[in-house]
Amino acid sequence: MNFFVVLSASIPILLSIALVPLLSTNYLWNLRGPSSSSPSLVADLLVTNGTIYTSDASLPFADSMVVHGGRILRVGNYSSVQDLAGHGTQVMNLEGKVVVPGFIDSHVHLISGGLQMVQVGLRGVNRKDEFFGKVKEAVTNLRHGSWLLGGGWNNDLWGGEMPMASWIDDVTPYNPVWLSRMDGHMGLANSLALKIAGITNCTEDPTGGAIMRTTDGEPTGLLIDSAMKLILSRIPEVSVDERREALFRASNLALMRGVTTVVDFGRYFPGASGELPWEDFSEVYRWADVSAQMKIRVCLFFPMNTWPRIQDLIHEEVLNLSQWLYLGGAKAFADGSLGSNSALFYEPYVDDPQNCGLQVMDIETLFNMTVALDKSGIQAAIHAIGDRANDLILNMYKSVVSTNGMRDRRFRIEHAQHLAPGAAARFGEEGIIASVQPDHLLDDADSVIRKLGAERAQKGSYLFQSLLGRNALLTFGSDWPVADINPLRSIKTAMKRIPPGWENAWIPSECINLIDALNAYTTSAARGCFLDKDVGSLSPGKFADFVVLSTDSWDDFAAEGSASVKATYVGGKRAYP
């Protein structure tokens, strides 16, 4: 039996048999046809007989809701909504299943992820010979001179040794190679790619980046943060058609995982051109929107050093370009990543005692840009992972507020992974949004202890409950393709915090409950990008974006956090499967 049954309300005989215990005389009359006593609005869809978590504090749970014109018309118990059904209304019997609002992934790189889906995939590779084998297999069918692109590798999975160009040079003599690390802050080039980019032992490290070298000073093939631009600038741009296909692939994956809205930070990483997100905006997103081919809602953030173009765009149009496309704000980087030893900390890395990380951008430059864009009403989002980087941005945001005055600006810090004592409280006190990615802790748990030491790791890492307890707005995302786009897994991660191979939770005091985790993916996520008038909860007037889950027990879901997506609806229409 299907997990839900959709019946046409134009067949009153079947409905009266199936729903006779629930139907009132008034409802049956409305099914027969319009009359002077019928409601002025007739629902397109009636969803009933389930546990509907609305993410709306005024009515957290309901068993029924009705949809009209793609938006929620009414939510409540069956008797309170049945009068809105009529000829043409579809009735979805949930058969007890749990429904939640469509998930909002607060941090993705959507087109980058779609492109990576057809490149060399190195996620999960845990042996050097497997790494070599994947590259050897992928290069077999490439024309000489074509770039081999891919990524997702994590050196921690094979013991921590960093890969080198020499690992793959023998099988790639005629093809330049670029393989990004899973966090996007480091990549491996083979020797041919280094030669094309002109990287030698005489090449200086660019500001905010590093070229990894042997003890003799020769480049190993690894480039960190802004140094990646030396290679990225040499890689031929992917075609418009390839990027459009990437959008469709990524959107379909998102819908399969219950994601109906994303905050997209674009193809923008340290070392990447700030033009790429703008090209994708004009050639991919606007095209898909105008041609009615958007499948999920997308809120776009652009590189902060291009903020005047955002201002010009806002002057020409509005923040809500359509029901599918929204202008979000601007993003910058304060530091790198933990896995690349480039996240900025107060104290050195235990496994790299001369290194405290990288400050990717000069703080005065960052402050001046943030003041200017904030005056224009543009939302700021800044990447900060290390404890010192987070404090730098918290201090800078406070100075911007002091300079420009109070208003509802909703400053964001992306990642906020490692916080110094007192920093969690500042997020709440100063109204800074903590945009975090729970599944990163699954990849980081072992390496954090090795890189920072047990005591530092225990005190300041992934402080979800501490942030909530200090009244910070906590939003969840994936950082896809850095981690998989899978909200239900991330929710369970936030609840349980048990990394692979562990028996117990990592920092159990930071585990959060199901409601808080769901809100971080729904109502809080919507507020975090100024979309709370349209999405984030199943409230009257908002878009009817919702997910039907596999479970029919809220109690089991709340205890274990385990469920899967059965169906995803966008604007009241089934988008998956």
Side-chain angles (χ1 to χ4, degrees), residues 400-411:
V400 172
V401 172
S402 178
T403 301
N404 288 348
M406 297 296 294
R407 70 174 181 85
D408 182 15
R409 45 175 50 88
R410 306 184 199 179
F411 281 151

Side-chain angles (χ1 to χ4, degrees), residues 478-527:
S478 63
D479 202 8
W480 188 71
V482 174
D484 194 14
I485 184 169
N486 191 343
L488 286 170
R489 189 180 80 160
S490 294
I491 286 168
K492 185 172 184 176
T493 297
M495 293 171 62
K496 301 298 183 180
R497 294 178 67 103
I498 301 178
W502 290 43
E503 294 183 1
N504 300 311
W506 180 37
I507 322 178
S509 61
E510 296 297 334
C511 294
I512 66 175
N513 63 43
L514 175 63
I515 294 291
D516 286 336
L518 281 171
N519 288 347
Y521 258 120
T522 54
T523 182
S524 296
R527 180 167 176 77

Side-chain angles (χ1 to χ4, degrees), residues 4-18:
F4 59 77
V5 181
V6 178
L7 299 173
S8 170
S10 62
I11 312 175
I13 296 175
L14 290 177
L15 279 175
S16 62
I17 294 171

